[in-house]
Amino acid sequence: MKRQNVRTLSLIICTFTYLLVGAAVFDALESEFEMREKEQLEAEEKRLQGKYNISEDDYRKLESIIMEAEPHRAGVQWKFAGSFYFAITVITTIGYGHAAPGTDAGKAFCMFYAVLGIPLTLVMFQSLGERMNTFVKYLLKRIKKCCGMRITDVSMENMVTVGFFSCIGTLCIGAAAFSHYEDWSFFQSYYYCFITLTTIGFGDFVALQKNRALQKKPLYVAFSFMYILVGLTVIGAFLNLVVLRFLTMNSEDERRDAEERASLAGNRNSMIIHIQDESLQRSRRRREPYRTEVTDLQSVCPCMHYRSHDYGSSSGGIGGLGCAFSHQNSFSSQLNPNQYFHSVSYRIEEISPSTLKNSLLPSPISSVSPGLHSFTDNHQLMRRRKSI
């Protein structure tokens, strides 16, 4: 099984196991509190109905009116400041739920706006995160040089450490600010910042929803908008360091497998070529002795015509020192072109020096033509070939 399949299966098992563990923990922590709160609310409901003599139907109607009026307690939500706040929660996928479009046209435009805005925002935050990581890496390298450290390279551990503390610092700054403006505790403000910057957005804590803050506190509104955007950039930079590395592991493994397959195919082709080269070299080495024998034969009798389909060579007649062979009785006519002779020897009768000297002198009556040697009787040169 491929590593990608094993990793995917392991992630699925781990995710479902994590879900089961989380469900068990939340059940243990929240179940009893929920039952107690429900009992208290039912008791308060009966007390109010008895105190003000309100029927069940009137009470349900009053309850629905209060719930519908809840978003308007913070003031007007759909002026420019409130609409900008809502647009941020849409394209960043925070989705507090504190406000929602009430018209069909608004709902249709919200879907179209989210389809285009969410991918654009994700790409923007990822690009900003990469630029931020590059800048932090440059700063760390400069700091190491200023401190006189021998190793100035910035490791992944350094970047993850800086990113982690940057996230913690961003959450703490937001918690301090919102606890001051919203009258929340520091833990509640920290919880709100974490839920917001991780784009969970439960909506149980929402900033800018008290005392008509959207209309009366422009500086606080600007700070809230900038905090959300900058905080998401910091979180995105940290996720680029940690999470995206694991998200690209499957693609890296697939690329590595493709390179291995290409390398194996290349090695196989080179092996075939190498084997062919070795076979050709062995064939040439086998043919070399035969070529040498043919050369020896030609050196002994240069008038011989030796033809072979393997070598495709022929030797013509040479005038001067003649042999007692005619063109018709040449040794080449007696050889099979497809056959090699491994042992051929020739014996030529001894010739007197005077005869040899006369034979080397040019004769006016001698005629030499390529491939044919004519000898006169005046030379009285007799050669006899004996072959074994």
Side-chain angles (χ1 to χ4, degrees):
M1 185 179 293
K2 291 184 178 180
R3 285 177 294 181
Q4 298 93 314
N5 297 334
V6 174
R7 184 183 297 112
T8 302
L9 184 60
S10 301
L11 288 173
I12 292 173
I13 294 173
C14 291
T15 302
F16 277 97
T17 304
Y18 196 72
L19 288 174
L20 294 176
V21 172
V25 172
F26 286 122
D27 184 11
L29 295 176
E30 298 292 334
S31 180
E32 294 182 1
F33 175 78
E34 180 188 22
M35 297 302 296
R36 289 196 304 267
E37 190 176 40
K38 182 179 179 181
E39 291 176 357
Q40 291 177 1
L41 290 175
E42 289 177 351
E44 186 67 18
E45 177 183 344
K46 291 180 180 180
R47 188 185 69 82
L48 291 175
Q49 288 179 358
K51 181 179 180 179
Y52 297 102
N53 196 17
I54 302 174
S55 64
E56 184 71 20
D57 294 337
D58 292 339
Y59 183 84
R60 298 303 175 194
K61 186 176 181 180
L62 180 63
E63 186 179 31
S64 63
I65 292 173
I66 293 173
M67 293 179 65
E68 291 176 359
E70 182 65 25
H72 303 283
R73 290 175 59 188
V76 180
Q77 294 288 328
W78 293 106
K79 292 299 182 180
F80 184 79
S83 299
F84 192 84
Y85 192 26
F86 174 78
I88 289 176
T89 62
V90 170
I91 64 174
T92 58
T93 68
I94 295 174
Y96 289 128
H98 68 287
T103 63
D104 292 340
K107 293 174 182 178
F109 178 75
C110 181
M111 291 186 289
F112 177 76
Y113 187 75
V115 167
L116 297 180
I118 291 174
L120 176 63
T121 306
L122 292 176
V123 172
M124 182 198 71
F125 282 130
Q126 183 179 355
S127 180
L128 286 175
E130 291 177 353
R131 294 299 91 201
M132 183 177 290
N133 290 333
T134 303
F135 180 70
V136 170
K137 188 175 182 178
Y138 171 76
L139 287 180
L140 289 177
K141 192 171 183 178
R142 296 292 297 177
I143 291 172
K144 287 186 175 183
K145 286 184 178 180
C146 293
C147 294
M149 301 177 67
R150 290 183 299 175
I151 300 176
T152 60
D153 294 335
V154 180
S155 63
M156 180 62 68
E157 290 77 9
N158 299 142
M159 295 296 296
V160 170
T161 302
V162 173
F164 176 76
F165 283 107
S166 298
C167 293
I168 297 298
T170 303
L171 293 174
C172 291
I173 292 172
F178 288 113
S179 64
H180 173 72
Y181 285 104
E182 297 289 341
D183 295 330
W184 296 333
S185 65
F186 184 83
F187 177 77
Q188 290 174 339
S189 299
Y190 193 92
Y191 168 78
Y192 162 76
C193 293
F194 182 85
I195 296 300
T196 297
L197 298 184
T198 54
T199 68
I200 298 173
F202 288 131
D204 51 348
F205 289 89
V206 182
L208 304 174
Q209 298 298 300
K210 292 182 179 179
N211 302 323
R212 303 177 66 86
L214 287 171
Q215 288 78 34
K216 294 182 178 180
K217 298 179 180 179
L219 294 179
Y220 176 49
V221 172
F223 169 79
S224 299
F225 294 167
M226 290 301 299
Y227 175 79
I228 292 174
L229 295 177
V230 173
L232 288 174
T233 302
V234 174
I235 298 297
F238 182 70
L239 293 179
N240 280 334
L241 291 174
V242 179
V243 178
L244 294 182
R245 181 177 180 84
F246 294 96
L247 293 178
T248 58
M249 289 180 68
N250 282 337
S251 60
E252 290 179 357
D253 289 340
E254 291 177 358
R255 178 180 55 81
R256 191 182 301 110
D257 292 342
E259 291 177 354
E260 290 178 356
R261 288 194 296 268
S263 177
L264 291 176
N267 292 336
R268 189 179 300 110
N269 293 333
S270 63
M271 186 180 298
I272 293 174
I273 294 173
H274 182 67
I275 292 173
Q276 292 176 351
D277 292 340
E278 288 184 350
S279 300
L280 183 59
Q281 291 176 2
R282 286 196 298 269
S283 177
R284 288 176 179 175
R285 285 196 297 267
R286 287 197 301 268
R287 293 177 182 179
E288 189 63 27
Y290 309 143
R291 188 186 300 271
T292 304
E293 292 178 3
V294 172
T295 305
D296 295 338
L297 291 175
Q298 291 177 349
S299 63
V300 171
C301 185
C303 66
M304 183 187 66
H305 293 271
Y306 186 84
R307 295 183 179 88
S308 176
H309 74 284
D310 291 305
Y311 298 102
S313 62
S314 63
S315 52
I318 303 176
L321 179 62
C323 296
F325 298 130
S326 65
H327 180 67
Q328 291 79 6
N329 296 326
S330 64
F331 186 63
S332 62
S333 63
Q334 300 177 7
L335 291 177
N336 186 358
N338 298 323
Q339 184 177 5
Y340 297 102
F341 290 86
H342 296 280
S343 177
V344 180
S345 63
Y346 294 93
R347 186 174 62 187
I348 302 175
E349 293 182 350
E350 295 182 356
I351 302 174
S352 62
S354 60
T355 306
L356 182 60
K357 181 177 180 181
N358 293 331
S359 65
L360 293 174
L361 294 176
S363 175
I365 62 175
S366 66
S367 62
V368 180
S369 62
L372 179 63
H373 298 274
S374 299
F375 303 96
T376 62
D377 295 336
N378 296 332
H379 290 164
Q380 295 180 357
L381 178 65
M382 297 178 61
R383 302 181 65 186
R384 186 175 62 225
R385 181 195 66 178
K386 294 182 180 180
S387 62
I388 299 174

